[in-house]
Amino acid sequence: MKHSPLWTALCASAAMGLALGPVMAQEAGETDGILVQPGETESGTAAESEAPGAGLTASPTEDDTAGDETDEDEPAAEASSEAAEEDAATGAESGDEALAEEETDEAAPAATLDVAPAEAPDDAAETEEDAGEDEAQSAQSFRDQPQEQREVGTDWPFWGGDTNAQRYSPLNQITRENVGELERAFVFNSGDLPEGTADGKYSPETTPLKVGDDLLICGAMNELISIKADTGEENWRYDPGVPNEAIPYGATCRGVSLWTNPAAAEGDTCATRVIEATLDAKLIAVDVETGMPCEGFGENGTVDLWQDIGERVPGWYAVTAPPAIVRGVIVTGAQVKDGQAEEAPSGVIRGFDAETGELAWAWDLGAEEQNRNGPPEGEVYTRGTPNMWTTATADEELGLVYLPMGNSSVDYYGSNRSEAEEEYSTSLVALDATTGEVAWSFQTVYNDVWDYDLGSQVTLVDFPQDGGTVPAVILPSKQGDIYILDRETGESLFDVEEITGLPKGDIEPDYISDVQPSSTYHTLRHDDLTARDMWGFSPIDQLWCRIQFHRANYDGFYTPPSADRHFIQFPGYNGGSDWGSVAVDPERGVIIANYNNIPNHNRLIPREEAEERNLRPIYEQDEEGGSGAEGAGDPQIGAPYGIDVNAGWRSPLTQMPCTKPPYGGIRAIDLETGETLWDEPIGTARRNGPWGIPSFLPLKIGTPNNGGSVVTESGLIFIGAATDNLFRAIDIETGETLWQDVLPAGGQANPITYEVDGRQYVMIMAGGHHFMETGVSDAFIAYALPE
């Protein structure tokens, strides 16, 4: 185990008979020792120059400064961190004499902890060893058996609703008959809006949790906020101080996670804690009641996820999804910004002890055994490996965690990938959450050069089969296929066909696979495009798009990348299904899946051309050049080609799509058979028009959409997602829209429903989305029937 400079300093103090008692008490999980408050530099602040949480505190609502920290505040935090590092280093070298003088009064309770004096250092070492053993035994007890999980209904305790991520609620107060009476119960404005260099980069995608009387929210820049679930009144907020330069592509925090320590006594600080991972790659734990950092977790409530990743390049390595927590282990991956370089930060998946923040294991698919407990001193996790940027699903009963894996760091070229990358790229991987070892994996694309990474969180169901049920996983994919897999083995419960005779192209024909898997259960994928599918606002648009269609390389599904001319990728990399995932009504046996139906128009950029265009990776960006929006001129350093992506292929003449509508839809699928029950376009033309001018037409054209839905026992589907900025209630039996409300910005977030004092609420974050061009807002809007 590696120790920070602060730990080293404290151990040096212990050898002098100073201050070790309270430190050991905290490390062993005891609550009677001295808890140093945030901001105290001796032992409450990280000693490293990048100190997690340095100088940051949680503030009650009455403190008007709580949400006012800006980039100008960061030097003060850094200065505090540097001062702490100097104090720690000086204390270690001089026997911590100054530290001893400062702590004499406050450390008095340590005398009751039987800490050996300076003349008996061996006993102190034994005490430390005993504490470590107690800690290990405590952690192991969490992992030996399932913990009791919170249920969905009155609460919404997980990002996916319940522990199975079904996005289903048994609440039924709001019905198909009275949903038209819904009104806004309250609107909470978080105050988290883009400033300075964050302008044009906001895509919050936030889904709150509801537990007890409170909602737990994260802002786009990772500010944690607790509010009353019935009024929106603020309880507390904690700002981890994430800087604008940490934004990878968009400022996004999809949500947070909760963990309750089964060994803690009622009323203990951090007995239940909010766990968040941040854009600047930190893992944070705060007390659910107060928002104060959990000081026994990492350093002052923070674990640095950059540990053993390599050089810090802000924006290249970030976390946007809520961690999964299984058997007391926090499991997280990270978003690695696409298209930059082959030698990108590792896609390693790590598990951390939920009580202490200690590394429990690492799954580095390039060095699985060597790096299980972290890489050797001076080395880093394998660079450029596939990552998991989306949300994992915890299986507390089996002790597994299901990881939807992405592609390698260079998405559109694969001849230089390793065998390990090929084995796990674009696969669902089940890990033993207690050891980090692979239980099974299921691959959805062979030799992926289309950026078809798995974006959807999987859903756990008891799947009906042969008169009984099988514990199963529902796996949606960007290419539209939906798979049903055995949860214990990863085997498909339905035949997996192989599409054969696929084109191989002329860039790397020996690498491109001429077969690909396809689900026989269900696919959201539409038929291949033809020239007749080209469309436009005017006849000139239509003619231009049809000409471009004939000029492009397009041989149907899985057309490989090309450089001599554009190639058409259909469906595009937004799906099919994406991060919003599916919802499941287990009572009716229905899957609800919204999807996109729009192509990308791409071209590989030869290296010489990329140099002429001054396309640079994120680690070389300056005022003269660098990569812009994801896919728009990505350099792909280490490959012979960069990449241009026109996502949601549009005509440059009017900025209208080149293909005919619908561009997105929502579908009901019979869970047992995979048959389509109904399929409807989702989204109107009210905000669409040439050159970005809204038409205000209520025509149901089906727009691109991002974000998922929630289903209730009363037969309602609530969903935002579409680019018309409407929040809808849809009849699960027919697909008919029964109610809608205009949002201040796009509802590109998964909604929730919950209950307070017998009253049912439905909430969505209307934050907008820069990529979807749906505006900017900080509004969390709760709806309910009139009292």
Side-chain angles (χ1 to χ4, degrees), residues 446-598:
Y446 306 144
N447 297 3
D448 183 2
V449 291
W450 298 273
D451 196 14
Y452 275 150
D453 47 6
L454 292 173
S456 297
Q457 182 187 33
V458 301
T459 299
L460 310 186
V461 294
D462 292 325
F463 193 82
Q465 190 177 69
D466 299 331
T469 60
V470 176
V473 170
I474 301 176
L475 170 62
S477 67
K478 284 186 175 181
Q479 59 271 34
D481 288 311
I482 298 177
Y483 296 92
I484 307 294
L485 309 179
D486 186 295
R487 204 184 302 174
E488 296 187 41
T489 67
E491 296 178 2
S492 178
L493 300 185
F494 290 79
D495 290 339
V496 177
E497 293 182 344
E498 284 195 334
I499 305 172
T500 60
L502 293 170
K504 296 172 72 70
D506 57 4
I507 294 295
E508 43 181 347
D510 293 337
Y511 175 79
I512 301 296
S513 177
D514 57 5
V515 299
Q516 293 291 350
S518 178
S519 173
T520 61
Y521 171 73
H522 190 89
T523 185
L524 301 167
R525 188 169 57 253
H526 287 218
D527 292 338
D528 289 345
L529 298 172
T530 69
R532 292 185 177 183
D533 293 316
M534 297 304 105
W535 183 85
F537 176 73
S538 68
I540 297 176
D541 272 309
Q542 187 180 52
L543 178 62
W544 188 91
C545 291
R546 187 165 293 190
I547 291 172
Q548 299 311 310
F549 177 84
H550 284 295
R551 293 179 63 184
N553 279 322
Y554 182 62
D555 295 309
F557 192 32
Y558 286 120
T559 296
S562 56
D564 59 330
R565 49 185 171 154
H566 284 81
F567 67 98
I568 295 173
Q569 176 187 352
F570 181 66
Y573 66 31
N574 281 326
S577 292
D578 205 353
W579 57 264
S581 315
V582 301
V584 175
D585 184 333
E587 301 301 321
R588 292 179 176 84
V590 176
I591 298 174
I592 300 298
N594 57 301
Y595 61 90
N596 286 299
N597 182 43
I598 192 166

Side-chain angles (χ1 to χ4, degrees), residues 89-144:
T90 303
E93 293 171 3
S94 66
D96 272 353
E97 295 176 1
L99 183 63
E101 292 175 2
E102 292 174 10
E103 292 189 343
T104 300
D105 295 334
E106 293 183 4
T112 65
L113 295 177
D114 296 328
V115 179
E119 59 268 27
D122 291 342
D123 291 343
E126 289 176 7
T127 306
E128 180 181 358
E129 182 179 348
D130 291 343
E133 290 177 357
D134 290 345
E135 181 181 298
Q137 291 172 3
S138 175
Q140 189 59 45
S141 67
F142 298 154
R143 302 172 198 175
D144 287 341

Side-chain angles (χ1 to χ4, degrees), residues 174-183 716 718 729 738-740 784-786:
I174 303 171
T175 67
R176 284 173 278 192
E177 290 71 33
N178 63 25
V179 68
E181 302 173 28
L182 276 185
E183 61 185 20
L716 293 173
F718 290 96
L738 304 176
W739 168 89
Q740 62 189 29
L785 297 173

Side-chain angles (χ1 to χ4, degrees), residues 372-499:
R372 182 77 65 198
N373 298 311
E377 189 70 34
E379 298 184 21
V380 298
Y381 294 108
T382 308
R383 294 184 70 83
T385 52
N387 64 306
M388 181 195 68
W389 57 266
T390 192
T391 308
T393 305
D395 189 332
E396 189 73 16
E397 188 65 32
L398 294 181
L400 299 177
V401 59
Y402 305 103
L403 313 172
M405 297 298 293
N407 202 347
S408 297
S409 55
V410 171
D411 289 300
Y412 295 94
Y413 185 82
S415 291
N416 51 2
R417 295 175 186 166
S418 68
E419 291 184 8
E421 289 178 78
E422 291 307 339
E423 181 178 1
Y424 294 113
S425 176
T426 321
S427 297
L428 182 67
V429 179
L431 292 186
D432 184 324
T434 65
T435 65
E437 296 176 348
V438 175
W440 54 260
S441 65
F442 180 89
Q443 192 161 51
T444 61
V445 182
Y446 306 144
N447 297 3
D448 183 2
V449 291
W450 298 273
D451 196 14
Y452 275 150
D453 47 6
L454 292 173
S456 297
Q457 182 187 33
V458 301
T459 299
L460 310 186
V461 294
D462 292 325
F463 193 82
Q465 190 177 69
D466 299 331
T469 60
V470 176
V473 170
I474 301 176
L475 170 62
S477 67
K478 284 186 175 181
Q479 59 271 34
D481 288 311
I482 298 177
Y483 296 92
I484 307 294
L485 309 179
D486 186 295
R487 204 184 302 174
E488 296 187 41
T489 67
E491 296 178 2
S492 178
L493 300 185
F494 290 79
D495 290 339
V496 177
E497 293 182 344
E498 284 195 334
I499 305 172

Side-chain angles (χ1 to χ4, degrees), residues 201-205 219-222 250-254 279 319-321 769:
K201 295 183 179 181
Y202 260 44
S203 47
E205 302 176 1
M221 297 297 290
N222 298 120
T252 298
C253 179
R254 291 191 194 92
L279 295 175
V319 188
T320 57
H769 199 288

Side-chain angles (χ1 to χ4, degrees), residues 66 105 194 196 210 402 418 491 531 654 659 680 706 713 730:
D105 295 334
K210 190 271 183 179
Y402 305 103
S418 68
E491 296 178 2
T654 60
T659 51
E680 291 288 332
N706 256 333
E713 184 189 69
I730 298 173

